[in-house]
Amino acid sequence: MELSFSMSQVWSLLAVIGIDIALAGDNAVVVGMAAAGLPPEQRRRAIILGIGAAALMRIGFALITTQLLQITEALFIGGLLLLWVCYRMFNDLRAGHVAESMHAAEGFGAKPKSFASAMWTIVVADVSMSLDNVLAVAAAAREHPYIMAFGLFLAVVLMGVAASYIARMLDRYRWIGWAGLLLIVYVALRLVWDGWPGIAPYFGLSPNPMLVTGLFTAACALYAAADFALKRRTAP
């Protein structure tokens, strides 16, 4: 059986892997801390059941997202949502990944007193944090459903098996997080580009996406430059 991959498939696969790694940290930390609050004999069972629930929820989110991304207008809206994800991720990276992850964990009660509360913590954390991942992966691989399925599987594996390692790696090698952010920005702008022809007629504007995508690109670059310049000026 001969396997052949197009450049589009290779790009989608690499993009999905990069996005999964970049977004794995916070969710992984919450799951790890929730399970750490249990006795050793219950810890493994909580993680396995929690990861199973996470997999089912991500499949459901992916089915909905995939259907929505078949609509041209929804592509543009998805691009805007991903740009919001990028905004939050940019602020997290600027503030320090581990601090943000610990804060998120505390917000979900990271040290439960019972097995039931541990499971609740894991499930709530995954619902709250997995939508961003599913949207980004679906957008990067929307023309290749098998790659999207692989991306969802990889996200669950990273969250369950490599939780603490991924969090430490992202904190130690900060460039991985920044590379992932740039990747998601590109995916978001591509959605804006592809979706604008469906949105433009509602406003009586030209369907050519070049101007609108260029404006969003410039806005992202200007915001990042202004933030770096301001913090450098106010730094002691």
Side-chain angles (χ1 to χ4, degrees):
M1 180 177 179
E2 183 179 352
L3 295 177
S4 60
F5 296 93
S6 66
M7 287 303 298
S8 174
Q9 290 172 313
V10 172
W11 148 251
S12 294
L13 179 61
L14 294 177
V16 162
I17 293 173
I19 288 169
D20 277 338
I21 292 175
L23 294 179
D26 286 348
N27 209 356
V29 168
V30 174
V31 172
M33 292 186 70
L38 291 171
E41 64 272 12
Q42 294 183 347
R43 193 173 303 154
R44 180 178 178 83
R45 184 158 59 102
I47 291 179
I48 292 174
L49 292 176
I51 299 309
L56 292 176
M57 285 185 289
R58 286 172 188 250
I59 291 172
F61 292 149
L63 292 174
I64 297 172
T65 303
T66 303
Q67 293 300 318
L68 290 177
L69 290 180
Q70 301 300 318
I71 305 171
T72 304
E73 291 87 340
L75 291 176
F76 184 82
I77 297 172
L80 297 183
L81 290 175
L82 268 186
L83 286 175
W84 172 250
V85 171
C86 294
Y87 168 76
R88 292 192 307 168
M89 188 174 176
F90 177 83
N91 288 334
D92 288 351
L93 287 170
R94 293 289 282 152
H97 184 85
V98 168
E100 292 294 327
S101 299
M102 295 292 287
H103 176 71
E106 291 171 2
F108 286 107
K111 293 186 177 181
K113 297 179 180 179
S114 68
F115 182 81
S117 61
M119 287 300 303
W120 177 251
T121 299
I122 292 172
V123 171
V124 171
D126 189 70
V127 170
S128 302
M129 297 179 180
S130 65
L131 286 173
D132 294 348
N133 182 268
V134 169
L135 177 60
V137 168
R142 67 181 192 270
E143 297 174 358
H144 310 292
Y146 293 108
I147 293 178
M148 186 186 73
F150 168 77
L152 296 175
F153 172 77
L154 178 62
V156 173
V157 170
L158 290 177
M159 184 181 69
V161 177
S164 58
Y165 175 76
I166 290 292
R168 290 197 303 269
M169 183 181 70
L170 290 173
D171 185 58
R172 183 175 181 181
Y173 303 105
R174 300 295 299 280
W175 66 268
I176 297 176
W178 289 109
L181 174 60
L182 291 176
L183 186 60
I184 299 172
V185 168
Y186 172 78
V187 172
L189 292 174
R190 194 178 70 173
L191 286 180
V192 170
W193 177 283
D194 293 340
W196 178 249
I199 292 291
Y202 293 102
F203 300 97
L205 300 174
S206 169
N208 190 328
M210 185 172 297
L211 177 60
V212 171
T213 307
L215 289 174
F216 277 108
T217 304
C220 292
L222 287 174
Y223 177 83
D227 182 82
F228 277 106
L230 182 61
K231 290 192 175 181
R232 176 174 293 184
R233 179 175 298 181
T234 57

